[in-house]
Amino acid sequence: MDDSVTKPTTRTRVRTERPRLHKVILLNDDYTPREIVVVILKGEFRMSEDQARRVMMTAHRRGACVVAVFTKDVAQSKATNATDAARKQGYPLLFTTEPEE
Ligand code: TYC
C-alpha cells in the first residue's frame, strides 16, 4: 500500500504592479524669456535644441505642455530642480507634476 503523505502546498502568486508614472508639466508665464525656458529644458531634461523649442512653444501657445514622464520621485525632483534653476536667475517659470491616468 502506498502510505506516502502528500503535503498540501499553497502557492502564492506575487503580483507586482508597475509604479504609476508621473508627468512633468511646463507652465507658461508672461515673464520668463523664451531662451531661458529652452536652456532649462535642455539642461534638466536632456532635450535637443529642437525638442526644447517645440515644448517651449507649445507651453507658450497653449498654456502648458507635458515635458516627459518618469517615476514619481524622479518627476518631482526634476520639476523642483528645473523650477529652482529659473528662480536662481530671477524668473517665475514653473514646472509641476501629476500622475498619469
Ligand atoms: N511666454 C513667455 C514669453 O513670452 C515664454 C515662455 C514660454 C514662458 C513657455 C514659459 O513655459 C513657458 N516671454
Side-chain angles (χ1 to χ4, degrees):
M1 198 176 91
D2 183 2
D3 60 357
S4 69
V5 179
T6 310
K7 271 209 279 178
T9 55
T10 310
R11 285 169 193 259
T12 310
R13 204 165 88 208
V14 178
R15 280 175 174 260
T16 313
E17 296 204 350
R18 284 175 201 278
R20 249 174 127 191
L21 294 175
H22 287 241
K23 298 182 272 196
V24 175
I25 298 161
L26 167 67
L27 301 179
N28 187 35
D29 68 69
D30 292 338
Y31 305 101
T32 310
R34 294 180 188 195
E35 205 48 47
I36 296 289
V37 182
V38 170
V39 167
I40 290 175
L41 286 171
K42 283 164 65 180
E44 190 60 30
F45 299 95
R46 296 163 161 265
M47 287 186 172
S48 67
E49 177 80 22
D50 197 53
Q51 286 174 312
R53 261 179 209 289
R54 284 168 198 270
V55 168
M56 180 278 292
M57 283 311 295
T58 301
H60 177 73
R61 292 194 179 116
R62 306 172 75 135
C65 181
V66 175
V67 178
V69 290
F70 302 100
T71 55
K72 187 179 183 185
D73 288 357
V74 174
Q76 287 175 345
S77 91
K78 293 228 178 228
T80 302
N81 289 348
T83 300
D84 285 353
R87 284 301 170 287
K88 276 190 196 132
Q89 300 180 69
Y91 298 113
L93 187 65
L94 186 60
F95 291 80
T96 60
T97 64
E98 68 177 57
E100 267 199 329
E101 302 74 37

